[in-house]
Amino acid sequence: MVRVEYVGTASSDGADVTDLQLQPGEASGIVPNSADLRSLAGPRQWRNGVVPRSADEVIVLANSDRAAPVRVDVTPSAAGQVRVGSFRFGRVAVPVWGDAETSTAPTGWGRPPVLTERSDGHLQVLTEQPLHMTVGWSDRS
């Protein structure tokens, strides 16, 4: 059973309870609604390397406290189809990128990757040619 009690004065505004967070142990005080908290971006981090062949899974070591949108930069060694995660760049021969934070890319379709909360990014990379890939994101707090 959960009991929510609001104690105010005759001139106080009412309170609408929209969310409850239950925690084991002693009461820890007021827990703010996540919509009332602003997500702040920290300094940008980068991981980069060469993907030599198709069907490689790239693991982006991040382990961020909060989910973060990712920017993926791809430089192919020659023209060919490129896909990173669920984002399809299509057939490219020049450097291209896909940015999940701004939802922009010069070419391609799909959704650029997002690092999920407290986990590393696992991205399947499909390519017809070796390529250099850089992944960047700003940690959220």
Side-chain angles (χ1 to χ4, degrees):
M1 179 170 91
V2 175
R3 181 177 151 206
V4 177
E5 182 179 350
Y6 170 74
V7 178
T9 64
S11 63
S12 296
D13 289 336
D16 293 328
V17 177
T18 57
D19 297 299
L20 292 176
Q21 181 176 0
L22 303 178
Q23 298 175 343
E26 296 296 317
S28 60
I30 296 172
V31 178
N33 186 313
S34 59
D36 296 333
L37 300 176
R38 197 172 71 157
S39 176
L40 302 174
R44 187 164 285 279
Q45 295 191 40
W46 300 98
R47 305 290 187 271
N48 65 72
V50 174
V51 181
R53 60 188 172 276
S54 185
D56 277 352
E57 183 176 34
V58 175
I59 300 175
V60 181
L61 300 176
N63 201 24
S64 300
D65 286 339
R66 297 191 185 263
V70 167
R71 177 183 165 113
V72 176
D73 293 68
V74 171
T75 304
S77 62
Q81 296 285 335
V82 176
R83 176 180 175 174
V84 177
S86 64
F87 192 84
R88 293 170 175 83
F89 286 99
R91 185 171 179 78
V92 295
V94 297
V96 292
W97 49 268
D99 193 334
E101 187 167 14
T102 60
S103 297
T104 57
T107 184
W109 63 97
R111 191 180 65 158
V114 172
L115 292 176
T116 56
E117 190 172 308
R118 289 193 268 301
S119 68
D120 298 323
H122 294 258
L123 302 173
Q124 185 178 20
V125 179
L126 301 174
T127 177
E128 294 178 346
Q129 301 291 337
L131 59 87
H132 181 268
M133 184 173 79
T134 302
V135 177
W137 70 93
S138 295
D139 282 340
R140 305 293 175 174
S141 60

